[in-house]
Amino acid sequence: PFGDSVNWDLIPRQAIASIDLIPGSNPLFGLNTLGGALSIHTKSGLDAAGGSVELEAGSFGRRTASADFSGKLGAEKNLGVFFAASTFREEGWRDFSPSRVDQFFGKLSHANGPLEMDLAWTHADTDLTGNGLLPETMLQARYESIFTKPDQTQNRLDLLSFNTAYWLDDKAR
């Protein structure tokens, strides 16, 4: 709803291949692109094969787990799959500030000469708490205090997208 907000909690970090900054105002990206737009490109099973698993733990009950897998399928190796999933839990350093993030991204890709097609599904279910401002007097009295409760940002997303491209020549790619 806001042109200055980016919900980074909606896509697993390991699914991002690259991010392009397109400067200036461009109506192609909507009315709120006064300062520019970000174009996020996701990974594909056609680009690289392999997988990884990461587990982390830290202060304030922080626990994260993420995994991704990519590879080529088919006799001609022109079909690719990519899956990425992550989960995050934290009790928070402030009072009453637990957070939860669950994310999944899957992409099925097909390339046949100059024709490329991608079918992707993004799923996210997040509940982020504790991002509120605190009056300076309360901050000085107790750093972990919270002024507004609950101060939650909840997002739910299921997005199915289809992308196709036809490259005119090898130089245009």
Side-chain angles (χ1 to χ4, degrees), residues 79-90:
L79 188 63
V81 294
F82 177 80
F83 299 103
S86 66
T87 184
F88 168 86
R89 301 288 186 274
E90 182 182 77

Side-chain angles (χ1 to χ4, degrees), residues 71-154:
K72 294 181 180 181
L73 303 172
E76 298 176 23
K77 300 291 186 191
N78 61 353
L79 188 63
V81 294
F82 177 80
F83 299 103
S86 66
T87 184
F88 168 86
R89 301 288 186 274
E90 182 182 77
E91 298 305 318
W93 61 270
R94 288 180 130 172
D95 295 334
F96 310 106
S97 62
S99 290
R100 174 188 54 78
V101 176
D102 295 315
Q103 306 163 318
F104 175 81
F105 178 81
K107 183 191 271 189
L108 181 62
S109 302
H110 175 70
N112 188 6
L115 178 65
E116 295 177 2
M117 294 183 285
D118 295 314
L119 180 64
W121 176 46
T122 306
H123 170 77
D125 185 3
T126 70
D127 187 358
L128 305 173
T129 311
N131 51 345
L133 300 174
L134 188 66
E136 195 172 336
T137 55
M138 288 181 72
L139 183 64
Q140 290 172 352
R142 189 165 175 273
Y143 196 70
E144 295 84 7
S145 298
I146 188 167
F147 185 61
T148 56
K149 176 186 119 177
D151 192 359
Q152 292 178 291
T153 302
Q154 296 177 326

